[in-house]
mmCIF file of all heavy atoms in Angstrom:
data_model
loop_
_atom_site.group_PDB
_atom_site.id
_atom_site.type_symbol
_atom_site.label_atom_id
_atom_site.label_comp_id
_atom_site.label_asym_id
_atom_site.label_seq_id
_atom_site.Cartn_x
_atom_site.Cartn_y
_atom_site.Cartn_z
ATOM 1 N N ILE A 23 92.439 97.913 88.409
ATOM 2 C CA ILE A 23 93.818 97.483 88.306
ATOM 3 C C ILE A 23 94.352 97.138 86.968
ATOM 4 O O ILE A 23 95.574 97.182 86.716
ATOM 5 C CB ILE A 23 94.059 96.244 89.283
ATOM 6 C CG1 ILE A 23 93.538 96.584 90.773
ATOM 7 C CG2 ILE A 23 95.560 95.979 89.456
ATOM 8 C CD1 ILE A 23 94.116 97.775 91.425
ATOM 9 N N PHE A 143 86.490 93.548 96.037
ATOM 10 C CA PHE A 143 87.378 93.963 95.155
ATOM 11 C C PHE A 143 88.508 92.981 94.771
ATOM 12 O O PHE A 143 88.756 92.793 93.668
ATOM 13 C CB PHE A 143 88.169 95.223 95.857
ATOM 14 C CG PHE A 143 89.032 96.011 94.909
ATOM 15 C CD1 PHE A 143 88.466 97.227 94.409
ATOM 16 C CD2 PHE A 143 90.378 95.733 94.683
ATOM 17 C CE1 PHE A 143 89.286 98.101 93.515
ATOM 18 C CE2 PHE A 143 91.115 96.540 93.795
ATOM 19 C CZ PHE A 143 90.595 97.686 93.244
ATOM 20 N N ILE A 144 88.943 92.132 95.685
ATOM 21 C CA ILE A 144 89.849 91.104 95.421
ATOM 22 C C ILE A 144 89.207 90.046 94.527
ATOM 23 O O ILE A 144 89.787 89.588 93.612
ATOM 24 C CB ILE A 144 90.256 90.392 96.799
ATOM 25 C CG1 ILE A 144 91.129 91.440 97.497
ATOM 26 C CG2 ILE A 144 91.117 89.142 96.496
ATOM 27 C CD1 ILE A 144 91.412 91.030 98.940
ATOM 28 N N VAL A 145 87.985 89.636 94.749
ATOM 29 C CA VAL A 145 87.345 88.612 93.933
ATOM 30 C C VAL A 145 87.097 89.110 92.618
ATOM 31 O O VAL A 145 87.410 88.364 91.615
ATOM 32 C CB VAL A 145 85.881 88.270 94.551
ATOM 33 C CG1 VAL A 145 85.129 87.447 93.572
ATOM 34 C CG2 VAL A 145 86.071 87.648 95.952
ATOM 35 N N MET A 147 89.159 91.234 90.930
ATOM 36 C CA MET A 147 90.530 91.060 90.294
ATOM 37 C C MET A 147 90.804 89.645 89.905
ATOM 38 O O MET A 147 91.345 89.372 88.873
ATOM 39 C CB MET A 147 91.524 91.538 91.324
ATOM 40 C CG MET A 147 91.482 93.060 91.633
ATOM 41 S SD MET A 147 92.670 93.486 92.992
ATOM 42 C CE MET A 147 94.199 93.173 92.070
ATOM 43 N N TRP A 148 90.510 88.656 90.713
ATOM 44 C CA TRP A 148 90.584 87.294 90.474
ATOM 45 C C TRP A 148 89.851 86.835 89.178
ATOM 46 O O TRP A 148 90.263 86.186 88.449
ATOM 47 C CB TRP A 148 90.295 86.353 91.667
ATOM 48 C CG TRP A 148 91.402 86.383 92.702
ATOM 49 C CD1 TRP A 148 92.007 87.437 93.296
ATOM 50 C CD2 TRP A 148 92.082 85.140 93.305
ATOM 51 N NE1 TRP A 148 92.955 87.047 94.263
ATOM 52 C CE2 TRP A 148 93.078 85.734 94.213
ATOM 53 C CE3 TRP A 148 91.947 83.816 93.102
ATOM 54 C CZ2 TRP A 148 93.752 84.894 94.975
ATOM 55 C CZ3 TRP A 148 92.674 83.067 93.843
ATOM 56 C CH2 TRP A 148 93.611 83.378 94.774
ATOM 57 N N SER A 254 99.168 87.982 87.041
ATOM 58 C CA SER A 254 99.703 89.254 87.637
ATOM 59 C C SER A 254 98.607 89.947 88.571
ATOM 60 O O SER A 254 98.964 90.550 89.608
ATOM 61 C CB SER A 254 100.088 90.216 86.390
ATOM 62 O OG SER A 254 99.008 90.411 85.644
ATOM 63 N N THR A 255 97.362 90.008 88.045
ATOM 64 C CA THR A 255 96.296 90.558 88.772
ATOM 65 C C THR A 255 95.948 89.972 90.183
ATOM 66 O O THR A 255 95.740 90.561 91.212
ATOM 67 C CB THR A 255 95.016 90.616 87.963
ATOM 68 O OG1 THR A 255 95.341 91.049 86.780
ATOM 69 C CG2 THR A 255 94.053 91.636 88.631
ATOM 70 N N ILE A 256 96.083 88.563 90.164
ATOM 71 C CA ILE A 256 95.941 87.814 91.392
ATOM 72 C C ILE A 256 97.059 88.118 92.342
ATOM 73 O O ILE A 256 96.815 88.286 93.597
ATOM 74 C CB ILE A 256 95.822 86.328 91.040
ATOM 75 C CG1 ILE A 256 94.628 86.017 90.399
ATOM 76 C CG2 ILE A 256 95.941 85.456 92.337
ATOM 77 C CD1 ILE A 256 94.414 84.581 89.881
ATOM 78 N N ILE A 257 98.231 88.147 91.798
ATOM 79 C CA ILE A 257 99.381 88.523 92.700
ATOM 80 C C ILE A 257 99.175 89.966 93.371
ATOM 81 O O ILE A 257 99.405 90.122 94.512
ATOM 82 C CB ILE A 257 100.710 88.510 91.874
ATOM 83 C CG1 ILE A 257 101.073 87.107 91.560
ATOM 84 C CG2 ILE A 257 101.934 89.142 92.694
ATOM 85 C CD1 ILE A 257 102.232 86.885 90.715
ATOM 86 N N LEU A 258 98.818 90.881 92.513
ATOM 87 C CA LEU A 258 98.641 92.274 93.032
ATOM 88 C C LEU A 258 97.441 92.408 94.084
ATOM 89 O O LEU A 258 97.387 93.314 94.825
ATOM 90 C CB LEU A 258 98.350 93.231 91.826
ATOM 91 C CG LEU A 258 99.532 93.537 90.965
ATOM 92 C CD1 LEU A 258 99.060 94.302 89.739
ATOM 93 C CD2 LEU A 258 100.545 94.221 91.708
ATOM 94 N N SER A 259 96.579 91.354 93.975
ATOM 95 C CA SER A 259 95.465 91.377 95.020
ATOM 96 C C SER A 259 95.995 91.143 96.472
ATOM 97 O O SER A 259 95.254 91.466 97.375
ATOM 98 C CB SER A 259 94.444 90.239 94.594
ATOM 99 O OG SER A 259 95.001 89.031 94.918
ATOM 100 N N VAL A 260 97.266 90.717 96.542
ATOM 101 C CA VAL A 260 97.914 90.640 97.998
ATOM 102 C C VAL A 260 97.831 91.849 98.543
ATOM 103 O O VAL A 260 97.872 92.189 99.798
ATOM 104 C CB VAL A 260 99.255 90.099 97.882
ATOM 105 C CG1 VAL A 260 100.047 89.954 99.130
ATOM 106 C CG2 VAL A 260 99.151 88.576 97.169
ATOM 107 N N SER A 261 97.990 93.071 97.780
ATOM 108 C CA SER A 261 98.015 94.450 98.214
ATOM 109 C C SER A 261 96.647 94.696 99.032
ATOM 110 O O SER A 261 96.710 95.299 100.150
ATOM 111 C CB SER A 261 98.133 95.422 97.163
ATOM 112 O OG SER A 261 99.336 95.194 96.420
ATOM 113 N N GLN A 262 95.528 94.351 98.424
ATOM 114 C CA GLN A 262 94.235 94.507 99.215
ATOM 115 C C GLN A 262 94.143 93.600 100.377
ATOM 116 O O GLN A 262 93.551 94.066 101.481
ATOM 117 C CB GLN A 262 93.087 94.226 98.264
ATOM 118 C CG GLN A 262 92.858 95.362 97.258
ATOM 119 C CD GLN A 262 93.981 95.679 96.280
ATOM 120 O OE1 GLN A 262 94.420 94.774 95.715
ATOM 121 N NE2 GLN A 262 94.188 96.956 96.032
ATOM 122 N N MET A 263 94.653 92.470 100.362
ATOM 123 C CA MET A 263 94.653 91.469 101.537
ATOM 124 C C MET A 263 95.429 92.089 102.641
ATOM 125 O O MET A 263 95.028 92.044 103.815
ATOM 126 C CB MET A 263 95.292 90.135 101.128
ATOM 127 C CG MET A 263 94.426 89.393 100.053
ATOM 128 S SD MET A 263 95.277 87.719 99.601
ATOM 129 C CE MET A 263 94.412 87.355 98.086
ATOM 130 N N SER A 264 96.564 92.742 102.251
ATOM 131 C CA SER A 264 97.492 93.380 103.310
ATOM 132 C C SER A 264 96.767 94.510 103.941
ATOM 133 O O SER A 264 96.977 94.774 105.159
ATOM 134 C CB SER A 264 98.733 93.744 102.588
ATOM 135 O OG SER A 264 99.520 94.515 103.504
ATOM 136 N N CYS A 316 103.744 94.161 97.716
ATOM 137 C CA CYS A 316 102.246 94.154 97.831
ATOM 138 C C CYS A 316 101.993 94.110 99.456
ATOM 139 O O CYS A 316 100.924 94.736 99.784
ATOM 140 C CB CYS A 316 101.723 92.822 97.202
ATOM 141 S SG CYS A 316 101.801 92.941 95.525
#
Side-chain angles (χ1 to χ4, degrees):
I23 307 299
F143 194 95
I144 293 169
V145 170
M147 292 174 66
W148 282 54
S254 58
T255 315
I256 291 176
I257 291 175
L258 289 173
S259 71
V260 174
S261 299
Q262 280 66 40
M263 299 177 193
S264 175
C316 291

